[in-house]
């Protein structure tokens, strides 16, 4: 009798463990016989198995065939691959690529077409989660979320925590900049340049982070930028301010991500131990002219510390490429672009009027000179990334779409380009995949619902015809995108005229 009980108990335990219990679905999706590529620890062990979705969540994933009944759509995954939906942890969704407010006013139909296509463009390239790292408004969040199909959107509040008159406030005329950046940090050294109507008590790191938290943000964005190009000598946060922002972010359950792309800025932030740096190191300062195949010791040391402290490193290589694209006459003719950029807008980008930003940043430079400058910076950026990757740094995928008012960083397309550039830099494919899924989810505290294919997680899934662990082209061989349990064919996300 006792033996029988034991056998019975073992059988029950096994069947639970096997997950072969009957799943009765009402709004199900059953992906059968598919290669499942997901990780909970950074190591990939792909296998052919099955995944079941009910409503917006994953209810089964495993090698054994599930026992299901009820209402569900079955998708035969034979020969296909599934991964978790991609997370782009550095985008900016307000605005229209390549346009200033007066262009938008002049061509409202181009702006409308862009905005209604934009969420689909991200999904077209597999990006099911976006983290907006600039300021966002309640109005924009509402209008984005009203779209029928769109990625999940997270943000950092109504503005970043920039120091008064520092980057990126400096771009806005003085009379508007303080209202435009409601979460600016009051700095004693800037007291004379801050209008009296702003109470310093409302602009301490504590007050600012509280406000950011209350706006539904998942992170605090700050900046360390002393300037570049013709814009130099900008005010930067003190160590005290940055440390306070970090402490306040943590006590509010937020992460601190900071804009920095110079050696000076990275070493300042690495020393403090911020959570994430929103760009790679490409402004090498006094090392800017060193050969592109050797990493100066000082940069190596900064990267070593970053690796040791496991500070998130967001390469954003398309920042450089997206500006260089403005002198590339073939850029706008790529077949991948017409899938995600409305035709009339693509045509406008080819006009003289749309070259305003290129004229502004390149001035009198020839195409060759632009290439020489940008290729050198990019080679340095890639070298730093390769080192960080080879030594197990924490790479977070982020495309910074768009990083400037360039038409070179288009929604979705730019993220896809970023994946390819990471590969070009020498990051192995499994690390690229982890950076855009598991690593991002964990770093931004979204891993209870996103970042892997596991029971209880949100059903954001990409089905591909190629294996992303073997071929970078897999990210352009997407067949289906599942967002919150809704299955969408890739071609249904393309631009329609
Ligand atoms: Zn950015």
């Amino acid at each position: 009798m006792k033996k029988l009980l034991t056998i019975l108990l073992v059988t029950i335990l096994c069947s639970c463990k096997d997950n072969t219990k009957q799943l009765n679905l009402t709004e199900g999706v059953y992906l059968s016989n598919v290669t499942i590529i997901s990780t909970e620890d950074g190591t990939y062990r792909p296998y052919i198995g099955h995944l079941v979705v009910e409503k917006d969540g994953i209810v089964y994933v495993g090698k054994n065939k599930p026992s299901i009944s009820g209402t569900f759509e079955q998708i035969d995954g034979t020969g296909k691959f599934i991964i978790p939906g991609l997370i782009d942890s550095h985008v900016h969704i307000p605005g229209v690529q390549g346009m200033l407010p007066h262009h938008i006013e002049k061509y409202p139909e181009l702006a409308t077409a862009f905005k209604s296509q934009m969420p689909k463009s991200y999904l077209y390239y597999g990006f099911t989660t976006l983290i907006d790292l600039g300021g966002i408004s309640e109005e924009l969040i509402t209008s984005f979320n009203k779209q029928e199909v769109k990625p999940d959107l997270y943000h950092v509040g109504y503005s970043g925590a920039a120091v008064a008159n520092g980057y990126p406030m400096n771009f806005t005329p003085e009379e508007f900049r303080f209202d435009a950046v409601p979460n600016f940090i009051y700095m004693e050294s800037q007291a004379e340049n801050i209008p009296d109507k702003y109470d310093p008590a409302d602009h301490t790191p504590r007050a600012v982070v509280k406000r950011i938290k209350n706006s539904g943000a998942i992170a605090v964005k700050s900046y360390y930028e002393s300037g570049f190009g013709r814009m130099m000598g900008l005010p930067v946060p003190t160590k005290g301010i940055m440390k306070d922002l970090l402490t306040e972010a943590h006590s509010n359950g937020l992460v601190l991500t900071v804009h920095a792309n110079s050696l000076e800025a990275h070493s300042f932030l690495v020393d403090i131990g911020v959570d994430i740096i929103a760009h790679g190191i490409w402004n090498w300062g006094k090392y800017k002219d060193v050969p592109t195949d050797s990493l100066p010791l000082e940069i190596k040391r900064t990267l070593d510390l970053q690796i040791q402290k496991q500070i998130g490193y967001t390469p954003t290589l398309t920042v450089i490429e997206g500006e260089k694209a403005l002198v590339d006459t073939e850029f706008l003719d790529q077949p991948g672009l017409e899938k995600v950029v409305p035709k009339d807008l693509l045509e406008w980008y080819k006009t003289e009027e749309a070259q305003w930003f290129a004229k502004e940043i390149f001035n009198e430079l020839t195409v060759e000179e632009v290439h020489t400058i940008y290729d050198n910076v990019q080679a340095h950026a890639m070298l730093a990334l390769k080192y960080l990757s080879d030594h197990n740094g924490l790479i977070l995928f982020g495309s910074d779409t768009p990083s400037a008012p360039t038409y070179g960083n288009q929604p979705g397309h730019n993220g896809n380009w970023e994946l390819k550039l990471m590969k070009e830099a020498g990051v192995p494919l499994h690390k690229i995949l982890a950076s855009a899924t598991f690593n991002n989810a964990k770093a931004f505290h979204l891993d209870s619902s996103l970042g892997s294919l596991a029971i209880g997680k949100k059903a954001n899934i990409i089905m591909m015809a190629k294996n992303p662990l073997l071929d970078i082209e897999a990210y352009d061989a997407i067949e289906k995108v599942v967002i919150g349990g809704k299955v969408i064919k890739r071609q249904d996300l393309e631009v329609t005229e």
Side-chain angles (χ1 to χ4, degrees):
M1 186 63 187
K2 210 177 166 192
K3 200 174 172 188
L4 190 70
L5 265 178
T6 318
I7 292 170
L8 211 70
L9 198 67
V10 168
T11 321
I12 293 167
L13 281 175
C14 284
S15 64
C16 291
K17 220 177 161 184
D18 241 22
N19 243 319
T20 47
K21 63 173 184 197
Q22 183 78 18
L23 292 165
N24 192 15
L25 308 172
T26 56
E27 290 170 47
V29 178
Y30 171 30
L31 295 160
S32 61
N33 218 24
V34 67
T35 300
I36 296 169
I37 305 176
S38 177
T39 184
E40 297 293 339
D41 60 7
T43 309
Y44 286 92
R45 301 170 198 88
Y47 62 93
I48 294 174
H50 307 264
L51 186 145
V52 181
V53 171
E54 167 66 346
K55 295 190 174 132
D56 65 353
I58 297 172
V59 291
Y60 175 83
V61 55
K63 278 183 188 159
N64 295 332
K65 217 170 168 179
S67 165
I68 50 175
S69 59
T71 312
F72 61 90
E73 176 189 352
Q74 181 167 352
I75 296 166
D76 178 16
T78 307
K80 316 285 184 202
F81 305 84
I82 56 170
I83 59 166
L86 303 175
I87 303 169
D88 190 335
S89 71
H90 191 158
V91 303
H92 301 276
I93 65 157
V96 179
Q97 265 68 338
M99 283 189 154
L100 286 171
H102 72 85
H103 297 125
I104 294 175
E105 220 165 278
K106 190 169 166 194
Y107 304 106
E109 65 292 345
L110 296 185
T112 306
F114 173 87
K115 284 178 182 168
S116 71
Q117 173 59 35
M118 179 261 286
K120 286 184 270 183
S121 300
Y122 279 109
L123 292 175
Y124 181 86
Y125 280 105
F127 298 98
T128 55
T129 302
L130 306 178
I131 305 177
D132 187 289
L133 289 193
I136 202 161
S137 64
E138 215 43 71
E139 202 186 343
L140 188 65
I141 298 167
T142 309
S143 77
F144 184 88
N145 287 333
K146 254 206 297 226
Q147 311 262 354
E148 201 193 323
V149 289
K150 77 265 167 195
D152 298 332
L153 175 66
Y154 295 90
H155 61 88
V156 295
Y158 306 137
S159 86
V163 290
N165 299 307
Y167 180 91
M169 280 181 91
N170 63 300
F171 291 119
T172 313
E174 264 169 68
E175 63 263 47
F176 307 119
R177 70 171 63 146
F178 296 92
D179 283 339
V181 183
N183 297 319
F184 77 85
I185 303 281
Y186 193 95
M187 213 164 43
E188 220 31 74
S189 58
Q190 286 296 315
E192 278 180 17
N193 305 316
I194 303 170
D196 291 340
K197 68 168 181 164
Y198 297 99
D199 183 352
D202 291 335
H203 294 275
T204 61
R206 175 167 291 181
V208 162
V209 173
K210 191 94 235 149
R211 242 187 340 265
I212 290 172
K213 168 76 180 176
N214 290 342
S215 60
I218 60 161
V220 174
K221 169 83 180 286
S222 193
Y223 309 84
Y224 190 102
E225 179 60 72
S226 59
F228 46 81
R230 282 167 285 164
M231 171 189 84
M232 298 302 280
L234 295 173
V236 289
T238 60
K239 273 202 167 155
I241 286 174
M242 197 53 80
K243 279 183 182 164
D244 287 349
L245 281 173
L246 184 63
T247 309
E248 294 301 328
H250 289 180
S251 62
N252 281 281
L254 303 175
V255 293
L256 177 63
T257 172
V258 188
H259 161 100
N261 52 43
S262 66
L263 171 60
E264 174 209 0
H266 272 249
S267 56
F268 173 88
L269 296 168
V270 165
D271 184 38
I272 288 166
V274 300
D275 300 309
I276 298 164
I277 301 182
H279 297 287
I281 306 182
W282 60 70
N283 281 328
W284 282 16
K286 61 178 181 246
Y287 305 109
K288 73 177 175 55
D289 296 318
V290 303
T292 52
D293 57 356
S294 70
L295 203 55
L297 196 62
E298 198 183 341
I299 296 178
K300 225 181 247 183
R301 287 211 177 112
T302 302
L303 290 168
D304 283 339
L305 211 52
Q306 197 151 334
I307 294 160
Q308 192 197 319
K309 295 188 177 183
Q310 287 289 289
I311 293 169
Y313 185 97
T314 325
T316 67
L317 299 166
T318 43
V319 170
I320 301 147
E321 227 60 32
E323 285 188 11
K324 201 178 81 179
L326 296 175
V327 296
D328 177 0
T329 47
E330 275 148 39
F331 175 79
L332 291 168
D333 296 322
Q334 293 175 71
L337 267 186
E338 67 192 27
K339 303 280 187 193
V340 292
V341 182
K343 200 166 163 249
D344 291 346
L345 184 58
L346 261 185
E347 287 309 313
W348 183 73
Y349 289 148
K350 293 176 186 170
T351 64
E352 186 62 26
E353 190 180 18
Q355 310 316 310
W356 70 272
F357 186 56
K359 282 179 200 147
E360 191 178 300
I361 56 172
F362 302 140
N363 208 4
E364 301 288 292
L365 294 176
T366 64
V367 172
E368 287 68 33
E369 284 166 335
V370 170
H371 273 268
T372 307
I373 296 166
Y374 280 71
D375 289 349
N376 185 57
V377 173
Q378 189 66 293
H380 284 163
M382 286 188 170
L383 204 57
L385 173 59
K386 168 99 168 62
Y387 182 84
L388 192 105
S389 172
D390 287 350
H391 296 84
N392 292 320
L394 176 60
I395 305 171
L396 303 180
F397 177 87
S399 65
D400 198 4
T401 305
S403 62
T406 167
Y407 58 68
N409 299 138
Q410 290 293 335
H413 178 270
N414 196 51
N416 186 259
W417 196 4
E418 181 73 26
L419 293 162
K420 289 176 182 157
L421 289 168
M422 287 167 81
K423 162 89 185 353
E424 218 178 285
V427 182
L429 288 166
H430 70 278
K431 289 194 182 186
I432 293 177
L433 177 58
S435 79
T437 53
F438 174 74
N439 291 0
N440 261 344
K442 231 175 133 193
F444 284 89
H445 302 172
L446 298 172
D447 51 326
S448 63
S449 62
L450 300 173
S452 66
L453 301 174
I455 293 172
K457 295 219 179 178
K458 198 173 175 202
N460 287 355
I461 305 159
I462 308 301
M463 186 187 261
M464 304 156 139
K466 292 178 183 171
N467 184 344
L469 297 177
L470 298 177
D471 190 351
I472 194 72
E473 292 301 328
Y475 296 100
D476 210 1
I478 293 170
E479 294 192 344
K480 285 185 169 57
V481 176
V482 183
I483 174 87
K486 186 181 163 65
V487 183
I488 311 170
K489 281 198 235 99
R490 193 189 197 198
Q491 57 265 42
D492 292 343
L493 295 162
E494 281 176 19
V495 166
T496 49
E497 292 304 329

mmCIF file of all heavy atoms in Angstrom, residues 25 72 97 142 156 215 237 239 273 311 314 329 377 425 458 484 495-496:
data_model
loop_
_atom_site.group_PDB
_atom_site.id
_atom_site.type_symbol
_atom_site.label_atom_id
_atom_site.label_comp_id
_atom_site.label_asym_id
_atom_site.label_seq_id
_atom_site.Cartn_x
_atom_site.Cartn_y
_atom_site.Cartn_z
ATOM 1 N N LEU A 25 -7.829 26.673 -23.189
ATOM 2 C CA LEU A 25 -7.593 28.039 -23.666
ATOM 3 C C LEU A 25 -8.875 28.713 -24.157
ATOM 4 O O LEU A 25 -9.760 28.053 -24.709
ATOM 5 C CB LEU A 25 -6.569 28.009 -24.804
ATOM 6 C CG LEU A 25 -5.261 27.263 -24.505
ATOM 7 C CD1 LEU A 25 -4.418 27.138 -25.768
ATOM 8 C CD2 LEU A 25 -4.460 27.971 -23.418
ATOM 9 N N PHE A 72 -7.958 28.210 -29.747
ATOM 10 C CA PHE A 72 -6.589 28.689 -29.957
ATOM 11 C C PHE A 72 -6.212 28.631 -31.421
ATOM 12 O O PHE A 72 -6.808 27.891 -32.193
ATOM 13 C CB PHE A 72 -5.585 27.883 -29.116
ATOM 14 C CG PHE A 72 -5.540 26.419 -29.425
ATOM 15 C CD1 PHE A 72 -4.679 25.923 -30.393
ATOM 16 C CD2 PHE A 72 -6.366 25.528 -28.741
ATOM 17 C CE1 PHE A 72 -4.650 24.566 -30.685
ATOM 18 C CE2 PHE A 72 -6.340 24.171 -29.030
ATOM 19 C CZ PHE A 72 -5.488 23.678 -29.992
ATOM 20 N N GLN A 97 11.568 62.351 -37.581
ATOM 21 C CA GLN A 97 12.968 62.274 -37.996
ATOM 22 C C GLN A 97 13.290 63.292 -39.095
ATOM 23 O O GLN A 97 12.584 63.364 -40.102
ATOM 24 C CB GLN A 97 13.255 60.854 -38.490
ATOM 25 C CG GLN A 97 13.849 59.926 -37.459
ATOM 26 C CD GLN A 97 12.929 59.538 -36.318
ATOM 27 O OE1 GLN A 97 11.966 60.212 -36.009
ATOM 28 N NE2 GLN A 97 13.268 58.454 -35.649
ATOM 29 N N THR A 142 -0.548 58.936 -24.299
ATOM 30 C CA THR A 142 -1.928 58.561 -24.619
ATOM 31 C C THR A 142 -2.091 58.321 -26.113
ATOM 32 O O THR A 142 -2.659 57.309 -26.527
ATOM 33 C CB THR A 142 -2.906 59.672 -24.161
ATOM 34 O OG1 THR A 142 -2.599 59.963 -22.796
ATOM 35 C CG2 THR A 142 -4.347 59.232 -24.272
ATOM 36 N N VAL A 156 11.092 57.924 -18.993
ATOM 37 C CA VAL A 156 11.859 58.483 -17.864
ATOM 38 C C VAL A 156 11.224 59.781 -17.349
ATOM 39 O O VAL A 156 11.907 60.618 -16.758
ATOM 40 C CB VAL A 156 13.339 58.732 -18.261
ATOM 41 C CG1 VAL A 156 14.052 57.421 -18.561
ATOM 42 C CG2 VAL A 156 13.447 59.686 -19.450
ATOM 43 N N SER A 215 5.520 60.303 -12.229
ATOM 44 C CA SER A 215 5.000 60.392 -13.595
ATOM 45 C C SER A 215 4.936 59.021 -14.265
ATOM 46 O O SER A 215 4.638 58.928 -15.454
ATOM 47 C CB SER A 215 5.858 61.361 -14.417
ATOM 48 O OG SER A 215 7.190 60.896 -14.465
ATOM 49 N N PRO A 237 27.085 68.092 -14.114
ATOM 50 C CA PRO A 237 26.744 67.836 -12.701
ATOM 51 C C PRO A 237 27.998 67.624 -11.846
ATOM 52 O O PRO A 237 29.018 67.123 -12.342
ATOM 53 C CB PRO A 237 25.907 66.559 -12.750
ATOM 54 C CG PRO A 237 25.972 66.042 -14.132
ATOM 55 C CD PRO A 237 26.574 67.067 -15.015
ATOM 56 N N LYS A 239 29.925 65.761 -8.581
ATOM 57 C CA LYS A 239 29.871 64.390 -8.050
ATOM 58 C C LYS A 239 28.730 64.248 -7.054
ATOM 59 O O LYS A 239 28.023 63.245 -7.027
ATOM 60 C CB LYS A 239 31.197 64.039 -7.368
ATOM 61 C CG LYS A 239 32.183 63.484 -8.349
ATOM 62 C CD LYS A 239 33.253 62.652 -7.688
ATOM 63 C CE LYS A 239 33.961 61.902 -8.804
ATOM 64 N NZ LYS A 239 35.284 61.507 -8.562
ATOM 65 N N GLY A 273 29.650 54.927 -10.051
ATOM 66 C CA GLY A 273 28.954 53.638 -10.086
ATOM 67 C C GLY A 273 27.488 53.763 -10.442
ATOM 68 O O GLY A 273 26.635 53.126 -9.825
ATOM 69 N N ILE A 311 28.408 47.867 -14.878
ATOM 70 C CA ILE A 311 27.591 49.017 -15.269
ATOM 71 C C ILE A 311 27.118 48.778 -16.702
ATOM 72 O O ILE A 311 27.911 48.382 -17.561
ATOM 73 C CB ILE A 311 28.427 50.318 -15.178
ATOM 74 C CG1 ILE A 311 28.756 50.608 -13.702
ATOM 75 C CG2 ILE A 311 27.710 51.500 -15.834
ATOM 76 C CD1 ILE A 311 29.777 51.704 -13.494
ATOM 77 N N THR A 314 25.709 50.953 -23.223
ATOM 78 C CA THR A 314 24.810 50.980 -24.379
ATOM 79 C C THR A 314 25.598 51.518 -25.581
ATOM 80 O O THR A 314 25.845 52.724 -25.663
ATOM 81 C CB THR A 314 23.605 51.910 -24.085
ATOM 82 O OG1 THR A 314 23.255 51.805 -22.706
ATOM 83 C CG2 THR A 314 22.417 51.562 -24.945
ATOM 84 N N THR A 329 24.652 59.207 -50.492
ATOM 85 C CA THR A 329 23.541 59.375 -51.446
ATOM 86 C C THR A 329 22.712 58.104 -51.596
ATOM 87 O O THR A 329 21.566 58.160 -52.031
ATOM 88 C CB THR A 329 24.072 59.792 -52.833
ATOM 89 O OG1 THR A 329 25.165 58.938 -53.152
ATOM 90 C CG2 THR A 329 24.548 61.227 -52.831
ATOM 91 N N VAL A 377 35.989 57.965 -35.594
ATOM 92 C CA VAL A 377 35.237 57.921 -34.333
ATOM 93 C C VAL A 377 34.567 56.550 -34.175
ATOM 94 O O VAL A 377 34.609 55.930 -33.110
ATOM 95 C CB VAL A 377 34.181 59.061 -34.300
ATOM 96 C CG1 VAL A 377 33.278 58.936 -33.092
ATOM 97 C CG2 VAL A 377 34.859 60.430 -34.301
ATOM 98 N N ALA A 425 31.423 45.062 -35.014
ATOM 99 C CA ALA A 425 32.409 45.431 -33.991
ATOM 100 C C ALA A 425 33.051 44.193 -33.350
ATOM 101 O O ALA A 425 34.052 44.304 -32.655
ATOM 102 C CB ALA A 425 31.743 46.283 -32.912
ATOM 103 N N LYS A 458 5.081 38.018 -20.316
ATOM 104 C CA LYS A 458 4.235 38.570 -21.347
ATOM 105 C C LYS A 458 4.548 37.920 -22.701
ATOM 106 O O LYS A 458 5.720 37.659 -23.006
ATOM 107 C CB LYS A 458 4.461 40.084 -21.421
ATOM 108 C CG LYS A 458 3.332 40.747 -22.151
ATOM 109 C CD LYS A 458 3.381 42.237 -22.129
ATOM 110 C CE LYS A 458 2.233 42.710 -23.022
ATOM 111 N NZ LYS A 458 2.405 44.052 -23.520
ATOM 112 N N GLY A 484 1.847 41.078 -26.869
ATOM 113 C CA GLY A 484 0.770 40.877 -25.893
ATOM 114 C C GLY A 484 -0.199 39.784 -26.331
ATOM 115 O O GLY A 484 -1.398 39.907 -26.146
ATOM 116 N N VAL A 495 4.730 49.795 -44.455
ATOM 117 C CA VAL A 495 4.081 51.028 -44.915
ATOM 118 C C VAL A 495 3.029 50.665 -45.969
ATOM 119 O O VAL A 495 3.302 49.869 -46.862
ATOM 120 C CB VAL A 495 5.126 51.958 -45.573
ATOM 121 C CG1 VAL A 495 4.469 53.068 -46.356
ATOM 122 C CG2 VAL A 495 6.076 52.523 -44.516
ATOM 123 N N THR A 496 1.838 51.234 -45.847
ATOM 124 C CA THR A 496 0.831 51.059 -46.909
ATOM 125 C C THR A 496 0.568 52.444 -47.495
ATOM 126 O O THR A 496 0.474 53.414 -46.767
ATOM 127 C CB THR A 496 -0.498 50.507 -46.360
ATOM 128 O OG1 THR A 496 -0.867 51.282 -45.216
ATOM 129 C CG2 THR A 496 -0.383 49.049 -45.988
#
